[in-house]
Amino acid sequence: MSEKPPEAVKTDSKKGLADVLGARAKESKQKSIVAAAPNGNAKKAGDLNALSNALKQAKKTREDERGTMVTDFPTAAVRAWSFSTLKKFENCQWAVKLGKVDKIRTESGEGAKRGSVIHDGCEEWVRGTIVELPADGRTKFDAFSSDFTALREDFRAGKVTMEDNWGIRQDWSPCEWDDDELWGRAKLDAFVTENEHSCRIIDYKTGQKFGNEMKHADQGLSYALHAMYRFPELDTFMVEFWYIDDGSKMIRTFNRRQLQMLILRYHNRAKKLTTTKDFIPSANAHTCRFCEYGTNTNREGKAYGNGACGFDHYRGLDAA
């Protein structure tokens, strides 16, 4: 008896498998037609459908409630927010209480003082009141030579505003900082009107870029949201961070539709800050490391903070 060639065996195998699968499919189809649900289970199935519909409606109600931006609510201890206060609150609520409620003053560190000097110098150079940009051994202004020149030309053309005090009410309508209904504050290094539909928001950054990108992107979003409500005619918002010590930029661009989708979450974050009555400390090695109210020290033994926080993670560690 002669053996079948390999191709024929493979064909027969495929055909046999197809026949088996076809038979099973036919059998299962017949069963699905024949097998009807017993009458006794009809009520149980109806109850399950009703429960399913109720759960779907409850979920939809929760989503609708979350999707509503509440714009009329009583504020608590902190009446108005800014980006820096919001980030501090989300890092450690107790630090906000010490600063905004207890009014415990802190001294600016060397890095913050240097940053203020450079920011002020950049503003004055763009205005044309000083001859040179405020360079020191760490700045890399050469990387921004054409950018600053263009910014000064735009300022002379009336396209640039700097260090304006932007305020918002609870419905995000713009106002001044002395408004009785002030709820949020922002101050931009530079705002450039590009054309009738777009703008640029510029923020100078000193210090380290690496590791701060997410925080700065969040800050840029807050500025863009402010601008969206302040300038209803604009549709495109470009946020630029100029890292003066790094010689590089980070750019984020939003359109109005994107911002309208992002506003609710930001609004609720700020609402939580301004309605909180009981501030909870978040004492740990990370949040307390550079806290202005803590006791942790640098390599030279100088404290980062004033030691006012009784929950500080580093309090007593050296003694222990």
Side-chain angles (χ1 to χ4, degrees):
M1 181 176 179
S2 61
E3 295 184 359
K4 293 183 179 180
E7 293 79 5
V9 173
K10 187 180 293 186
T11 303
D12 290 346
S13 298
K14 288 182 179 180
K15 183 178 180 182
L17 178 61
D19 291 341
V20 172
L21 292 176
R24 288 182 180 177
K26 183 176 181 181
E27 182 182 2
S28 62
K29 184 177 180 182
Q30 290 173 345
K31 284 184 177 180
S32 66
I33 295 173
V34 173
N39 293 334
N41 291 337
K43 185 177 184 300
K44 184 176 180 180
D47 292 341
L48 290 175
N49 287 335
L51 176 60
S52 175
N53 291 334
L55 291 174
K56 290 179 181 178
Q57 182 60 42
K59 180 180 179 182
K60 183 177 184 303
T61 301
R62 289 196 303 271
E63 290 175 348
D64 290 343
E65 290 175 351
R66 284 198 298 264
T68 303
M69 190 166 81
V70 179
T71 58
D72 185 14
F73 51 86
T75 56
V78 181
R79 178 171 168 265
W81 66 278
S82 65
F83 173 77
S84 59
T85 303
L86 179 61
K87 294 304 289 186
K88 185 181 293 185
F89 176 80
E90 293 174 339
N91 186 61
C92 179
Q93 298 181 12
W94 195 256
V96 173
K97 177 187 181 296
L98 294 177
K100 299 297 183 180
V101 182
D102 299 340
K103 306 295 184 182
I104 298 177
R105 301 188 64 179
T106 60
E107 293 185 6
S108 299
E110 294 300 320
K113 292 178 181 177
R114 173 179 176 267
S116 295
V117 170
I118 291 176
H119 276 70
D120 293 344
C122 290
E123 178 187 354
E124 295 304 319
W125 189 89
V126 173
R127 293 185 186 277
T129 58
I130 60 175
V131 178
E132 296 181 354
L133 286 163
D136 60 19
R138 296 164 58 186
T139 55
K140 296 180 180 178
F141 279 112
D142 290 345
F144 301 96
S145 177
S146 60
D147 296 295
F148 272 105
T149 299
L151 187 60
R152 183 163 60 178
E153 292 175 354
D154 285 340
F155 176 76
R156 290 172 177 171
K159 298 180 179 180
V160 179
T161 60
M162 294 180 288
E163 299 293 332
D164 282 354
N165 294 335
W166 286 7
I168 55 169
R169 304 180 182 90
Q170 290 181 0
D171 62 357
W172 287 76
S173 60
C175 66
E176 301 299 326
W177 281 14
D178 58 358
D179 192 279
D180 291 338
E181 298 181 18
L182 176 72
W183 181 62
R185 298 185 182 92
K187 184 186 282 286
L188 281 60
D189 290 339
F191 179 84
V192 185
T193 303
E194 290 284 282
N195 52 53
E196 59 183 2
H197 299 297
S198 65
C199 68
R200 292 165 59 216
I201 297 168
I202 300 172
D203 192 78
Y204 312 131
K205 291 296 183 187
T206 54
Q208 185 171 308
K209 173 185 177 182
F210 180 76
N212 289 309
E213 292 91 343
M214 291 185 65
K215 174 184 175 181
H216 295 162
D218 193 27
Q219 182 181 9
L221 173 58
S222 73
Y223 289 163
L225 291 170
H226 274 268
M228 177 179 70
Y229 282 90
R230 185 166 286 267
F231 303 99
E233 71 278 8
L234 298 181
D235 185 66
T236 303
F237 307 82
M238 181 181 291
V239 185
E240 301 181 8
F241 292 95
W242 295 6
Y243 293 94
I244 304 300
D245 294 342
D246 189 70
S248 65
K249 293 181 184 179
M250 182 175 73
I251 300 175
R252 296 288 185 271
T253 303
F254 305 93
N255 59 43
R256 183 168 290 273
R257 182 174 179 273
Q258 290 172 325
L259 294 176
Q260 288 171 341
M261 296 172 63
L262 297 169
I263 180 65
L264 178 61
R265 182 174 179 272
Y266 222 104
H267 177 86
N268 288 338
R269 289 168 61 192
K271 180 174 176 285
K272 181 178 180 180
L273 162 59
T274 56
T275 56
T276 292
K277 297 179 180 178
D278 299 317
F279 295 83
I280 301 172
S282 303
N284 57 59
H286 173 70
T287 59
C288 299
R289 185 180 180 187
F290 300 114
C291 180
E292 56 196 346
Y293 301 104
T295 60
N296 191 29
T297 59
N298 60 19
R299 294 177 180 177
E300 288 73 35
K302 184 177 180 181
Y304 293 110
N306 57 18
C309 179
F311 297 98
D312 177 46
H313 171 81
Y314 295 93
R315 184 179 297 278
L317 285 184
D318 293 338

